Amino acid sequence: MVGTPAYRRIYEDLSARIHAGELAPNAQLPGEALLAEQFGVARMTVRQAIGQLADDALVVRRQGVGTFVAGDAAGRRSLNRLTSFTEDMSGAARKVETELLLRAICDPKPDVAAALGLTAGARVVRIRRLRRVAGVPVLLNDSHLPYGLFPSLDREDLIEGSLYRTLETRYDTRLRRADQRIRAVAASRELARLLDIAPRSPLLRSERITLSDRNTAIEFARSWARPDFELSVHLQR
Amino acid sequence: MVGTPAYRRIYEDLSARIHAGELAPNAQLPGEALLAEQFGVARMTVRQAIGQLADDALVVRRQGVGTFVAGDAAGRRSLNRLTSFTEDMSGAARKVETELLLRAICDPKPDVAAALGLTAGARVVRIRRLRRVAGVPVLLNDSHLPYGLFPSLDREDLIEGSLYRTLETRYDTRLRRADQRIRAVAASRELARLLDIAPRSPLLRSERITLSDRNTAIEFARSWARPDFELSVHLQR
DNA sequence: GAGTGGTCTAGACCACATG
DNA sequence: ATGTGGTCTAGACCACTCA
């Protein structure tokens, strides 16, 4: 044990082999007993790793038959995982760019303060970014973070444009989970201009509250995605 | 054991207690050791149940502290669970109605046939329904199912308007998982009329492929939701 | 019948938060 | 120091699929 649990290492290992193509779509994984032997752990530990791969829809389990790489697992990222936009887009050959539109300390609007559970008078760092993929603007992201938790975020550059990587690296803040609400809205003139589409075009709007390890709200983010941007969800049972 | 696994019964039990308000938001659950004793199972079995509640975002676990009912668990359903619209809306006091617009056997378009993995010439049962909540039309659903699997579905009425319940009850088909893709689109004239909104209003469009136990595609469904309809997702790690 | 995943046990030790 | 959840073991038996 080196800090990261065994099941996590196994998950990463298998996940990497799937994304690398070593385990091709529809290929059968080694049996759980064999994997347990190979990794030198108990079968329950292997099952914990494979269970997460199944949650991601990267593999499909069939009782009495085996576990198989999902048919569409090729370029796809894990579903229902809390990942940064940067991570989401990596693996694809497309180039991701981030344009920083705003970085400032603000007094939050009441809805933002409520979402973050801030006390009266607490301020937020607001970071507004436009994400481009292969030169096309696809997503406008407007994040609000408690200034008290990240007191120098307004003066630092983000690591490779990634807010989440910056939080983990510089503030030792491990992201744990997020609740996200999604709806369709019409593009305002400003959004239309930024995303290079016609005003009143349909957009996918998300509102996300991100929580840390310690279960404290770290970020409230609104984002708007171009109509050709798709969001995938995996549902079970 | 009576067919349903112990962890499932524990999951249902706790889930019901949360929805009934017996376990109020932010209340602490009994410790895992105590629950194991109460249910007469090993602690690992209790953990399996609680793990699913955490996936649902119905409870939050905090190491060293305890497990707590989510603050917003009140009227909310489990997130990321494959549930029917009918189930989603139950629990709320609002009345759900279903208007059957179309039920017919059709030759599927190529994209539908591909999504269902049908052989050439195979036909589908198409079921188009408008769902109303408290009298307001909120969702148009257009489902396609392999006619070969459900040969009498075009002649039978749905049980309480619920397709999923009908499949489970009359065809002994247990739904297992679904992959869903979501995007924003502009309302056509027909959709606008059905959903009682202005043409070109932004809509949330979902495309869902539902798979059974045996991992065969059971349904390809497109649905369009009014702009005030929100979709919630829970992301982890 | 052989092999697979699904469920379950009765322990153990660790990491963490709190009093 | 105590109690919590997090990880892990080394088995066991069951349910299922397929040859």
Side-chain angles (χ1 to χ4, degrees):
Chain A
M1 258 168 286
V2 292
T4 56
Y7 76 87
R8 188 73 196 171
R9 286 187 293 105
I10 298 169
Y11 168 86
E12 302 282 5
D13 183 286
L14 293 174
S15 171
R17 276 150 77 175
I18 290 169
H19 284 120
E22 183 189 330
L23 290 167
N26 301 312
Q28 183 169 6
L29 267 65
E32 296 176 351
L34 180 53
L35 285 172
E37 194 188 342
Q38 287 174 355
F39 285 104
V41 298
R43 186 177 154 227
M44 285 297 293
T45 304
V46 166
R47 277 185 65 75
Q48 200 170 347
I50 295 183
Q52 297 208 352
L53 292 171
D55 289 343
D56 293 358
L58 283 179
V59 304
V60 176
R61 297 207 259 211
R62 282 198 273 165
Q63 187 172 2
V65 187
T67 302
F68 301 83
V69 178
D72 57 352
R76 184 162 60 58
R77 298 297 305 177
S78 302
L79 301 185
N80 301 359
R81 286 269 167 242
L82 177 55
T83 51
S84 72
F85 184 79
T86 315
E87 286 170 343
D88 278 354
M89 290 302 156
S90 76
R94 300 162 296 185
K95 192 178 167 199
V96 178
E97 296 161 309
T98 300
E99 182 182 343
L100 186 64
L101 301 178
L102 175 72
R103 183 172 51 177
I105 300 169
C106 308
D107 292 312
K109 298 231 168 91
D111 56 337
V112 174
L116 289 172
L118 297 178
T119 54
R123 289 182 297 173
V124 295
V125 178
R126 185 167 167 206
I127 297 179
R128 199 171 154 90
R129 291 169 295 168
L130 182 63
R131 325 300 298 257
R132 288 178 223 270
V133 176
V136 180
V138 295
L139 191 79
L140 181 77
N141 190 283
D142 198 358
S143 292
H144 304 74
L145 301 95
Y147 181 54
L149 293 178
F150 309 106
S152 57
L153 195 57
D154 63 311
R155 299 186 304 271
E156 293 174 319
D157 282 336
L158 302 180
I159 296 173
E160 297 173 30
S162 172
L163 173 60
Y164 285 5
R165 188 178 302 177
T166 305
L167 295 183
E168 296 198 323
T169 307
R170 283 215 260 270
Y171 290 92
D172 192 34
T173 296
R174 282 155 298 183
L175 308 175
R176 172 67 168 278
R177 57 192 203 88
D179 287 300
Q180 189 163 333
R181 293 178 305 150
I182 299 144
R183 54 187 296 184
V185 300
S188 65
R189 275 190 299 276
E190 188 198 3
L191 280 167
R193 180 177 56 76
L194 288 167
L195 294 172
D196 197 18
I197 52 176
R200 305 209 48 77
S201 295
L203 298 179
L204 211 53
R205 193 198 71 176
S206 300
E207 288 188 348
R208 172 189 284 194
I209 299 175
T210 312
L211 303 160
S212 77
D213 268 37
R214 297 172 191 76
N215 220 50
T216 55
I218 281 183
E219 178 203 31
F220 174 77
R222 280 200 190 89
S223 47
W224 292 265
R226 267 172 74 110
D228 46 8
F229 186 88
E230 274 189 346
L231 200 140
S232 293
V233 180
H234 183 231
L235 308 169
Q236 296 202 54
R237 284 221 156 171
Chain B
M1 254 168 291
V2 293
T4 55
Y7 76 86
R8 187 75 195 171
R9 285 188 292 104
I10 297 169
Y11 168 86
E12 303 283 5
D13 183 285
L14 294 173
S15 171
R17 276 150 78 175
I18 289 170
H19 284 120
E22 182 189 331
L23 289 166
N26 301 312
Q28 182 169 6
L29 268 66
E32 296 176 351
L34 180 54
L35 285 172
E37 193 188 343
Q38 287 175 356
F39 285 103
V41 298
R43 185 177 155 226
M44 284 297 294
T45 304
V46 166
R47 277 186 65 77
Q48 201 170 347
I50 294 184
Q52 297 207 351
L53 292 171
D55 290 343
D56 293 358
L58 282 179
V59 305
V60 175
R61 298 207 259 212
R62 282 199 274 164
Q63 186 171 3
V65 187
T67 303
F68 301 83
V69 178
D72 57 350
R76 186 161 60 56
R77 298 296 306 176
S78 301
L79 301 185
N80 301 359
R81 286 270 168 241
L82 177 56
T83 51
S84 72
F85 183 80
T86 316
E87 286 171 343
D88 278 353
M89 290 302 156
S90 75
R94 301 160 297 184
K95 191 178 167 199
V96 177
E97 297 162 307
T98 300
E99 181 182 343
L100 186 64
L101 301 179
L102 174 71
R103 184 170 51 176
I105 299 169
C106 308
D107 292 312
K109 297 230 169 93
D111 56 335
V112 174
L116 289 173
L118 297 178
T119 54
R123 290 183 297 173
V124 296
V125 179
R126 187 169 165 201
I127 298 179
R128 199 171 155 90
R129 291 168 295 168
L130 182 63
R131 326 300 297 258
R132 288 178 223 270
V133 176
V136 179
V138 295
L139 190 79
L140 180 78
N141 190 283
D142 197 356
S143 292
H144 304 74
L145 301 95
Y147 181 55
L149 292 178
F150 310 106
S152 57
L153 196 57
D154 63 311
R155 299 186 304 270
E156 294 174 318
D157 281 335
L158 301 179
I159 297 173
E160 295 173 32
S162 171
L163 174 59
Y164 286 4
R165 191 179 300 178
T166 305
L167 296 183
E168 295 197 324
T169 306
R170 283 215 260 270
Y171 290 92
D172 192 34
T173 295
R174 282 155 299 185
L175 308 175
R176 171 67 168 275
R177 56 192 204 89
D179 287 301
Q180 190 163 334
R181 292 178 306 149
I182 299 145
R183 53 188 295 183
V185 299
S188 65
R189 274 189 299 275
E190 188 198 2
L191 280 167
R193 181 177 54 77
L194 288 167
L195 294 172
D196 197 19
I197 53 176
R200 304 209 46 77
S201 294
L203 297 179
L204 213 53
R205 191 198 71 175
S206 300
E207 288 189 346
R208 173 189 283 194
I209 299 174
T210 312
L211 303 161
S212 78
D213 258 23
R214 297 173 191 74
N215 220 49
T216 54
I218 280 183
E219 178 203 29
F220 174 76
R222 281 201 191 87
S223 47
W224 292 264
R226 265 172 76 110
D228 46 8
F229 187 88
E230 274 190 346
L231 199 140
S232 292
V233 179
H234 183 231
L235 308 170
Q236 297 204 53
R237 284 218 158 176

